Amino acid sequence: MTGPLGSIAAAAPAIAMLGCFACVAGGIALLRRRDRRKGVLMLVMAVVLLGNVLIWTV
């Protein structure tokens, strides 16, 4: 893919991985605050985001 959308498509996996790391950090922080449901949901969201990045890169 070329043009302006090509650069966005090339940057999307890197941005998604930063979001994945942020979700893991937020999930751990929520688990430490004893908000178990939200913490687990954040960790699940991080796993789904990681799966999406793996699919994009294949």
Side-chain angles (χ1 to χ4, degrees):
M1 186 180 276
T2 60
L5 292 180
S7 59
I8 293 172
I15 295 169
M17 283 306 298
L18 291 174
C20 181
F21 294 142
C23 288
V24 169
I28 291 171
L30 284 171
L31 286 174
R32 287 189 178 176
R33 285 190 211 148
R34 308 219 191 266
D35 196 356
R36 184 178 175 115
R37 179 194 282 171
K38 289 181 182 178
V40 169
L41 285 174
M42 288 281 282
L43 293 175
V44 168
M45 184 172 66
V47 169
V48 169
L49 198 52
L50 178 64
N52 284 337
V53 170
L54 291 175
I55 290 171
W56 289 340
T57 56
V58 170

